[in-house]
Amino acid sequence: MLSRTTGIVTAFVAGLALVVAAVLVVRQLTEPSKPELPVIPESRRPVLEAAARVCSPLSVPLLAAQIDAESGWRVNADSGQAQGISQFAPQTWKEWGRDGDGDGRADVWEPRDAIPSQARYMCHLYTVVKEVPGGSTRRGSTRLALAAYNAGPNAVLRAGGMPKMDETRGYVDKIVNDLLPKYRQAEKKYQENEAKHGSKKHGAAASPSSSSSSSSPAPSSSSATALPSTAPGATVPSASRRQP
């Protein structure tokens, strides 16, 4: 009798386990998956953070989203007339390209030159679109500055706002409505991760050892775990862009 009861219990437990497993599988298949957040390449973060401080309208997520749309973070991106990670047209680079890495040469293919130049040019475009209808609001000025980066500032000025160009409108919408929110979420997670690891390291450094009762403060850590150096790809916009 005991053996029979044990067999019934075992069968019941096994059946229950199968039911639970089936429920979990169905839930996994039916629940919408969370979209994967983009990642800023670790090697680009220092120059990107410095570039975002060039003027107040800029931010790390905005510049990152723009680079993603322009080149997918590929340093050798070439659409035929626009080049490098920030996709400058030669004529625009001639005016706005600067030596950012201190080697005495402004190189459109060098991210440490291109990204700071992108930031300086964007700051200029923000001032250009300020008087254009819609350019006085934060969102409006960002949309118009991006449009000017893509189509050229004269195109925005002639249109008195957003140019009626499908490529430019698609470019702006992709950045503002799709990429920028994702990069903001990714940056928020990154900063939370930085604060978490920094707090742990600081706490460990500040804890007194078993052989010392010194009350002097311990130095805080200035580093934290960085994100992986991969990033989603993107299609390079067509070449008829960014003439002054």
Side-chain angles (χ1 to χ4, degrees), residues 65-74 77-89 146-147 149-151 165-172 174-175 179 233-242:
Q66 187 178 18
I67 292 172
D68 194 328
E70 289 286 353
S71 65
W73 297 96
R74 292 180 292 117
D78 189 346
S79 63
Q81 294 183 8
Q83 302 168 327
I85 195 171
S86 300
Q87 287 289 280
F88 275 94
L146 290 169
Y149 193 96
N150 178 266
M165 301 166 63
D166 290 341
E167 179 194 318
T168 298
R169 294 190 174 201
Y171 169 84
V172 173
K174 179 179 182 179
I175 293 174
L179 293 172
T235 302
V236 180
S238 64
S240 57
R241 311 185 294 109
R242 286 188 297 291

Side-chain angles (χ1 to χ4, degrees), residues 43-54:
S43 60
R44 306 294 171 232
R45 177 166 284 279
V47 67
L48 193 68
E49 291 179 344
R53 294 192 291 268
V54 173

Side-chain angles (χ1 to χ4, degrees), residues 35 37-38 61 180-190 192:
L37 294 178
L180 182 55
K182 292 177 182 177
Y183 272 102
R184 282 174 174 162
Q185 291 180 51
E187 186 64 12
K188 181 180 179 181
K189 283 195 171 185
Y190 176 85
E192 289 174 349

Side-chain angles (χ1 to χ4, degrees):
M1 179 63 71
L2 181 60
S3 177
R4 182 180 178 183
T5 302
T6 302
I8 293 174
V9 171
T10 302
F12 175 77
V13 171
L16 182 60
L18 287 174
V19 171
V20 171
V23 170
L24 292 175
V25 169
V26 171
R27 179 179 295 179
Q28 185 176 7
L29 293 175
T30 56
E31 286 184 349
S33 59
K34 293 183 180 180
E36 185 176 350
L37 294 178
V39 178
I40 295 172
E42 180 182 356
S43 60
R44 306 294 171 232
R45 177 166 284 279
V47 67
L48 193 68
E49 291 179 344
R53 294 192 291 268
V54 173
C55 66
S56 59
L58 300 183
S59 67
V60 168
L62 175 60
L63 291 177
Q66 187 178 18
I67 292 172
D68 194 328
E70 289 286 353
S71 65
W73 297 96
R74 292 180 292 117
V75 299
N76 61 344
D78 189 346
S79 63
Q81 294 183 8
Q83 302 168 327
I85 195 171
S86 300
Q87 287 289 280
F88 275 94
Q91 187 175 351
T92 309
W93 180 256
K94 185 177 180 180
E95 180 178 359
W96 289 97
R98 295 293 185 275
D99 172 23
D101 60 2
D103 66 353
R105 177 172 175 244
D107 184 0
V108 73
W109 304 106
E110 170 55 61
R112 291 174 295 176
D113 292 349
I115 294 175
S117 299
Q118 170 192 347
R120 291 182 65 256
Y121 187 41
M122 279 294 291
C123 291
H124 166 71
L125 295 176
Y126 268 104
T127 64
V128 170
V129 306
K130 190 175 182 180
E131 303 304 324
V132 176
S136 59
T137 66
R138 184 176 182 84
R139 180 179 174 85
S141 62
T142 294
R143 290 182 62 85
L144 291 175
L146 290 169
Y149 193 96
N150 178 266
N154 287 337
V156 174
L157 294 175
R158 284 194 300 266
M162 183 66 63
K164 294 181 179 179
M165 301 166 63
D166 290 341
E167 179 194 318
T168 298
R169 294 190 174 201
Y171 169 84
V172 173
D173 286 342
K174 179 179 182 179
I175 293 174
V176 174
N177 298 331
D178 180 24
L179 293 172
L180 182 55
K182 292 177 182 177
Y183 272 102
R184 282 174 174 162
Q185 291 180 51
E187 186 64 12
K188 181 180 179 181
K189 283 195 171 185
Y190 176 85
Q191 295 300 336
E192 289 174 349
N193 186 56
E194 287 282 285
K196 180 180 179 181
H197 283 268
S199 176
K200 284 184 177 180
K201 290 182 179 181
H202 178 75
S207 298
S209 66
S210 59
S211 60
S212 174
S213 59
S214 173
S215 59
S216 58
S220 61
S221 171
S222 60
S223 64
T225 303
L227 293 174
S229 57
T230 57
T235 302
V236 180
S238 64
S240 57
R241 311 185 294 109
R242 286 188 297 291
Q243 299 303 322

